[in-house]
């Protein structure tokens, strides 16, 4: 029969479940159809009873149920639900990324000996897997020794993943060699219960360190296959990311808005985030303050803020960035230097009785 859209079940027009016993045996409804959105029951309703209300032996039931077939085969069995309905009861949830075909052979008979006019079959699909890449698309300041992770809620065919994955420098389109490994904590086949309830991880480890301050692209081209599925991924998945740059001082500046003490909130901008433990040893300020005024995340991720509560208004301060200052990636500062900034007025304050 023709399948239309993603209607979960099909009801055949012109059939009547109260048809007389000598009428043609028909399939009244069947499903699911299209792509399922979750675990859906495979169900076939007939116009006439296939079994009587009286008890049947296992052999008698099996002689009728042998006319039903599910391809590809999964662990489970067809069984009766009432006298005119047959359902498939899987042992586990159906695996993702599959096109399943349900076949009913024509020589099946109802309790009055009526048969189907022809073999009957239809197809439905289980959802494609969700694929995630880490570093995610647009990620900045990625480590040069990064181990890229591909995550999927269905077990991927490792050979297919290796064939479809290409890591390259974005601008030059120069391929980067890597080793592909399954994560040691991936579930086993026995733990994979289907329908995307658990996640699998795959590691792409570049054979050499990546270049600093460089854009990279990881592309998984269309056609990626899962271990238990027959539907290849119909589209490509891409992640663009950039490695961290050398550690350099950029500029001084003032954050938007007033500080708690002064109308100015000074900061020092760097290409990468400085290490907190190095502040006292490799940073100094003149005139001196009661304690170190520097703190992380001044106005951005890579900025050092200068605490305006420790600063005087309308004063020029000199900050010395000494050799040996390091960043989060353990890089030494490439351009140690002395910089200045001048604070503004004190922040106006008002007080009144409550």
């Amino acid at each position: 029969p023709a399948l239309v859209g993603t209607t979960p079940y099909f009801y055949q027009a012109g059939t009547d479940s109260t048809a007389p016993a000598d009428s043609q045996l028909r399939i009244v409804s069947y499903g699911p159809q299209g792509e399922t959105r979750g675990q859906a029951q495979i169900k076939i309703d007939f116009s006439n009873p296939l079994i009587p209300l009286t008890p049947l032996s296992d052999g008698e039931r099996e002689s009728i149920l042998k006319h039903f077939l599910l391809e590809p085969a999964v662990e489970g069995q067809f069984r009766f639900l009432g006298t005119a309905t047959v359902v498939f009861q899987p042992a586990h949830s159906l695996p993702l990324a599959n096109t399943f075909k349900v076949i009913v052979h024509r020589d099946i008979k109802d309790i009055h000996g009526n048969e189907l006019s022809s073999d009957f079959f239809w197809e439905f699909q289980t959802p494609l897997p969700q694929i995630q890449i880490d570093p995610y698309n647009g990620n900045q300041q990625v480590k040069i020794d990064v181990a890229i992770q591909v995550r999927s809620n269905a077990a991927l065919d490792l050979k297919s993943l290796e064939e479809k994955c290409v890591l390259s420098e974005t601008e030059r389109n120069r391929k980067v060699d890597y080793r592909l490994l399954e994560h040691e904590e991936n579930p086993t086949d026995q733990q994979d219960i289907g329908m995307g309830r658990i996640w699998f991880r795959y590691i792409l480890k570049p054979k050499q360190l990546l270049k600093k301050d460089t854009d990279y692209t990881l592309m998984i081209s269309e056609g990626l296959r899962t271990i238990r599925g027959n539907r290849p991924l119909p589209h490509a998945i891409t992640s663009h990311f950039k490695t961290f740059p050398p550690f350099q001082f950029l500029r001084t500046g003032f954050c938007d808005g007033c500080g708690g003490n002064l109308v100015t909130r000074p900061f020092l901008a760097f290409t990468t985030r400085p290490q907190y433990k190095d502040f006292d040893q490799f940073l100094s300020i003149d005139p001196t303050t009661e304690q170190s005024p520097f703190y992380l995340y001044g106005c951005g991720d890579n900025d050092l803020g200068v605490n305006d509560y420790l600063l005087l208004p309308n004063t020029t301060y000199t900050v010395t960035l000494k050799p040996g200052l390091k960043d989060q990636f353990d890089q030494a500062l490439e351009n140690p230097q002395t910089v200045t900034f001048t604070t503004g007025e004190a922040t106006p304050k008002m007080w009144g009785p409550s």
Side-chain angles (χ1 to χ4, degrees):
L3 304 184
V4 180
T6 57
T7 305
Y9 287 89
F10 172 81
Y11 295 88
Q12 187 156 342
T15 58
D16 182 2
S17 59
T18 61
D22 59 352
S23 65
Q24 178 70 53
L25 178 63
R26 295 180 177 88
I27 291 178
V28 178
S29 65
Y30 59 91
Q33 288 188 48
E35 182 173 297
T36 63
R37 297 183 179 179
Q39 186 63 26
Q41 186 180 54
I42 300 172
K43 182 181 177 184
I44 310 105
D45 294 317
F46 290 86
S47 58
N48 299 329
L50 301 180
I51 57 174
L53 292 174
T54 55
L56 292 179
S57 67
D58 291 342
E60 290 173 319
R61 289 177 181 271
E62 182 60 32
S63 67
I64 301 173
L65 294 175
K66 70 180 182 180
H67 296 89
F68 297 84
L69 184 64
L70 177 65
E71 296 177 345
V74 297
E75 188 178 356
Q77 62 182 354
F78 285 96
R79 66 178 181 85
F80 286 103
L81 185 65
T83 61
T85 299
V86 173
V87 298
F88 181 76
Q89 182 174 333
H92 306 291
S93 296
L94 298 178
L96 296 178
N98 269 288
T99 294
F100 284 101
K101 184 176 183 179
V102 184
I103 303 170
V104 184
H105 293 295
R106 63 173 296 176
D107 54 350
I108 187 172
K109 296 180 181 180
D110 63 19
I111 58 176
H112 305 289
N114 300 310
E115 297 182 353
L116 292 174
S117 60
S118 61
D119 287 347
F120 183 91
F121 68 88
W122 85 96
E123 294 180 347
F124 69 92
Q125 294 79 37
T126 52
L128 293 167
Q130 300 176 38
I131 307 292
Q132 301 173 354
I133 299 174
D134 184 17
Y136 57 84
N137 192 42
N139 201 344
Q140 301 286 322
Q141 299 201 352
V142 173
K143 294 182 178 180
I144 58 176
D145 61 348
V146 63
I148 302 169
Q149 285 198 28
V150 176
R151 292 192 288 264
S152 170
N153 62 342
L156 300 178
D157 183 301
L158 202 62
K159 182 178 180 181
S160 175
L161 182 60
E162 190 167 20
E163 291 175 350
K164 300 300 180 180
C165 270
V166 175
L167 177 63
S168 61
E169 295 180 29
T170 305
E171 292 185 2
R172 297 185 178 184
N173 198 27
R174 179 181 295 172
K175 291 184 178 181
V176 177
D177 292 332
Y178 62 83
R179 290 179 290 113
L180 178 62
L181 305 168
E182 289 193 61
H183 196 282
E184 59 185 11
E185 295 181 0
N186 275 357
T188 64
D189 291 341
Q190 290 73 28
Q191 293 171 313
D192 182 6
I193 57 176
M195 275 300 183
R197 298 182 183 180
I198 52 181
W199 287 84
F200 298 81
R201 289 178 287 175
Y202 304 88
I203 310 300
L204 280 75
K205 183 66 176 176
K207 293 183 178 180
Q208 296 181 342
L209 293 178
L210 301 182
K211 297 177 182 178
K212 293 182 182 180
D213 201 21
T214 302
D215 291 299
Y216 288 89
T217 298
L218 177 65
M219 173 177 284
I220 304 175
S221 58
E222 63 182 54
L224 177 65
R225 293 185 173 275
T226 63
I227 290 178
R228 301 176 62 194
N230 58 20
R231 294 180 66 196
L233 205 66
H235 54 80
I237 300 173
T238 303
S239 178
H240 301 281
F241 61 90
K242 189 173 186 177
T243 51
F244 62 79
F247 182 36
Q248 296 177 343
F249 172 76
L250 296 177
R251 63 186 177 90
T252 61
F254 297 98
C255 302
D256 294 335
C258 294
N261 183 48
L262 305 177
V263 296
T264 51
R265 294 190 297 150
F267 69 88
L268 310 174
F270 296 84
T271 54
T272 55
R273 187 169 66 248
Q275 289 182 8
Y276 178 77
K277 65 181 181 180
D278 290 341
F279 286 3
D280 293 339
Q281 184 178 356
F282 298 108
L283 289 171
S284 64
I285 188 168
D286 185 45
T288 58
T289 55
E290 294 180 5
Q291 60 190 63
S292 175
F294 305 108
Y295 62 92
L296 291 173
Y297 308 107
C299 287
D301 289 347
N302 300 326
D303 299 338
L304 289 185
V306 187
N307 188 350
D308 68 293
Y309 278 101
L310 299 173
L311 303 178
L312 298 172
N314 299 316
T315 302
T316 297
Y317 283 88
T318 299
V319 177
T320 301
L321 309 174
K322 302 176 184 179
L325 181 66
K326 293 186 176 182
D327 71 353
Q328 66 194 99
F329 303 110
D330 209 36
Q331 299 181 106
L333 184 66
E334 289 191 351
N335 57 342
Q337 57 188 278
T338 298
V339 299
T340 62
F341 63 85
T342 301
T343 58
E345 299 286 348
T347 304
K349 298 178 176 64
M350 296 181 64
W351 178 88
S354 61

